Amino acid sequence: MSGGRFFEVREFAEVDSTNRYLLAEARRGAPEGLVAVADHQSAGRGRLGRRWEAPAGSSLLLSVLVRPPLPPDQLHLATAALALAAVAACRRISGVEPAVKWPNDLLMGDRKLAGVLAEVDPGAGDVQGLAPAVVVGIGVNLTFRGPPEAGGTCLSDASGRQIDRRSLQEALLEELEPRRAALDHDQGRAELAGELRSRCATLGRKVRIHQVGAELEGTAVDLTDSGHLVLDTPTGRHEVAAGDVVHLRTVNAPGVVTPSGPGQLY
Ligand code: BT5
């Protein structure tokens, strides 16, 4: 059991989606810190209506409800906080260290090990004077490599051993505690962005970014303290806060499309 704010963990043998469940709880005024974990999701969500697939017992499927005091253009730092906590937990429990593909995947090499999905519900703010809710969920493959076409991997392949799901869950919630606290102030946010920079597989890569109505191609050269990606392109430098990213010149980069789903932060 983790200490700190993520102490109430609701465990499900099966639920449609841990993100969906926590968004509904947030709408009813649930406080920050509530955690949902499932053995199996019957309708696991990826971004933009895509599915997150995982046979029962094969993955860590976990969502947290946070209410960070972030301006809208920095809300995706909540995604970074969970992704970085997962990187640290994987290192502690399995000995392998995934990289982060900006903004929301954990990779081993070019293979997807985990995906993060942050969602806000505009209706979930202002309930009982609470800050708006952000639900951030992660699926970490333990023994399942994802659907064949996704070119994913799992932690037991990467580490060569069986990983205890509960140990990974507890380590993740412990690692999340300081990173969530960092979202409360400028210095913490800058430190989080610094950690993201040091773990980010996207920096130095040629990338293509799909945004609403636009596509941008260039070299990812930096991350700002707000966690935005800085791209060098033939038309100059661009700072990107939103968008799906394709790493170019890679074998298994997942193809992704423009964010448009209501409430999804990607
Ligand atoms: C994501 O979406 O990567 C975010 C996934 C978030 C899942 C967690 S599980 C707990 C919480 N509750 C939920 O309902 N969701 C969150 P996206 O970038 O859209 O990637 C989805 C794509 O990844 C799919 O279209 C497949 O191609 C691929 N995929 C699906 N399942 C996978 C898996 N287990 N491993 C690797 N790739 C997978």
Side-chain angles (χ1 to χ4, degrees):
M1 178 62 75
S2 73
R5 80 182 88 199
F6 300 105
F7 63 86
E8 188 176 350
V9 181
R10 297 194 186 157
E11 299 190 8
F12 297 89
E14 176 160 319
V15 70
D16 52 353
S17 152
T18 53
N19 265 36
R20 204 270 326 140
Y21 171 78
L22 283 187
L23 282 166
E25 291 300 295
R27 225 165 286 146
R28 284 200 279 272
E32 160 155 60
L34 191 57
V35 181
V37 184
D39 210 40
H40 183 240
Q41 296 182 124
S42 55
R45 296 179 182 178
R47 297 180 295 162
L48 313 170
R50 292 187 291 244
R51 299 265 308 200
W52 188 257
E53 312 279 353
S58 69
S59 307
L60 175 63
L61 305 168
L62 174 146
S63 299
V64 298
L65 166 57
V66 291
R67 295 180 180 276
L70 292 172
D73 75 324
Q74 291 186 23
L75 275 174
H76 60 283
L77 282 175
T79 301
L82 187 64
L84 291 167
V87 169
C90 287
R91 184 175 54 229
R92 264 169 66 181
I93 301 302
S94 75
V96 303
E97 187 158 340
V100 179
K101 174 177 172 240
W102 188 90
N104 82 325
D105 290 344
L106 262 55
L107 301 181
M108 294 299 305
D110 281 326
R111 294 188 173 272
K112 186 157 165 167
L113 175 74
V116 182
L117 172 68
E119 295 179 271
V120 281
D121 185 331
D126 285 341
V127 181
Q128 298 160 356
L130 295 167
V134 184
V135 171
V136 197
I138 187 166
V140 184
N141 296 331
L142 300 182
T143 55
F144 175 60
R145 303 179 189 94
E149 69 281 3
T153 188
C154 64
L155 212 43
S156 40
D157 278 1
S159 66
R161 57 185 205 241
Q162 284 295 105
I163 303 303
D164 179 59
R165 190 173 61 182
R166 184 165 293 273
S167 305
L168 187 66
Q169 172 185 323
E170 289 177 0
L172 191 152
L173 293 176
E174 278 169 25
E175 295 287 350
L176 183 59
E177 191 67 38
R179 291 173 177 87
R180 161 60 192 90
L183 297 177
D184 285 338
H185 48 88
D186 285 346
Q187 190 195 331
R189 294 196 278 263
E191 282 168 11
L192 203 64
E195 187 184 3
L196 185 57
R197 218 172 270 131
S198 72
R199 302 270 171 255
C200 186
T202 307
L203 291 181
R205 302 285 292 260
K206 288 226 184 274
V207 296
R208 183 181 304 128
I209 308 231
H210 300 271
Q211 292 182 301
V212 181
E215 194 176 278
L216 211 53
E217 208 170 292
T219 305
V221 290
D222 199 8
L223 282 168
T224 69
D225 282 353
S226 302
H228 298 171
L229 194 67
V230 181
L231 277 193
D232 255 351
T233 78
T235 58
R237 281 214 160 176
H238 294 265
E239 193 176 310
V240 184
D244 268 343
V245 181
V246 177
H247 286 178
L248 300 176
R249 296 189 193 150
T250 59
V251 181
N252 286 303
V256 280
V257 294
T258 310
S260 61
Q264 291 202 354
L265 284 177
Y266 57 87

